[in-house]
Every structure is written in structure tokens, then in C-alpha cells.
Amino acid sequence: MVESLPARFKSTRGWLVAAVVATGATAWMAVAFASDTAVGLAWQLGVVGLSVTLGSAEVAYLAWHNWMHGERGIALAVTAGASLGSLLMVGAAVGGVTARDLIGCAAGVGLLGMATAVGLFGIYRATGKSSAATLTGMFILLGLVYFSSVLWGAVPR
């Protein structure tokens, strides 16, 4: 079976990126549909949508490059963390969102941030230097941390 697949479908890097992008897109759609029904939480869900978009794009990039640089374990961990974070957001957003469901969204954004941090560590460890890509990743990481704290602050006590 595997021998009959075209070469482009055998790329592990491609599957890692596809996993991150697919779960991120699913989370984005779930949050978008939930924001239609939870009008009172529209700005919080907007923050979640922005976070999942930026975080998934950055983690997909980091997973691709970590695998390319030989940091295979880190690439797998980054993919698993980002996918789990996106799935947490899907679980919180499906079926309507209440203020308590923001806990799942904030945890998902936090996992995306952790996956970004681990991915940046892997890139820096593999290359031994900083670059424009790592600086961009740091800004996205800081944004995800800030967005997660905003969401945690919106959860009623």
C-alpha cells in the first residue's frame, strides 16, 4: 500500500504540517460558528480566533523546520501540543459557548503558546543562532501568552 503512494504523500514533515493546519482550521471554524451564537462573548472569541490562526501558522512552520534540522522529537511534540490545544478549543466551542467555556479556549491558546516555545527552542538548538524567523516566533509567542491571559481574565470567578 505505501509503495503505491506518490512521493509527496510520504513526507512526514508534510503530515505534521497537515495535522497542525487541519486541527487549527477546525478550531477556527468552531470558534467562528460559536461567535455567531454567543454574541456577549464575541470579542473573547475573536481573540481565540486570532490566536489559533497565528499559533497554528507558526507551529506548522516550526514543526516543518525542526524536522528538517533533525529535531524529530521536538517536531512531533510541537505537533502534538498544537493539535491538542486546537482540539481543546473545538471542545469548548462546539455546542455553544458560555463564559465557563473560555477556560478550554484559554487552555488551548496556552498549549499553542507552549508548542511555539518548544518549537523555538528546537530551532535555536539546531541552528545555534537567532534569525528573523525566531524573532517573529518570539513575538507570536508573546502574543499568545498575552491572549491566553486575557481569556483567563474573562472567566468568571
Side-chain angles (χ1 to χ4, degrees), residues 34-47:
S35 68
D36 209 23
T37 59
V39 179
L41 300 172
W43 74 269
Q44 290 96 337
L45 292 174
V47 168

Side-chain angles (χ1 to χ4, degrees), residues 99-137:
R100 290 276 178 202
D101 291 328
L102 291 177
I103 295 170
C105 292
V109 172
L111 269 174
L112 273 172
M114 289 299 296
T116 302
V118 170
L120 283 172
F121 169 74
I123 292 291
Y124 189 76
R125 190 170 92 166
T127 61
K129 62 181 179 181
S130 184
S131 65
T134 55
L135 182 62
T136 302

Side-chain angles (χ1 to χ4, degrees), residues 49-69:
L50 180 62
S51 299
V52 75
T53 302
L54 288 174
S56 294
E58 181 64 22
V59 171
Y61 171 84
L62 292 170
W64 179 273
H65 283 282
N66 273 309
W67 191 272
M68 184 177 67
H69 289 298

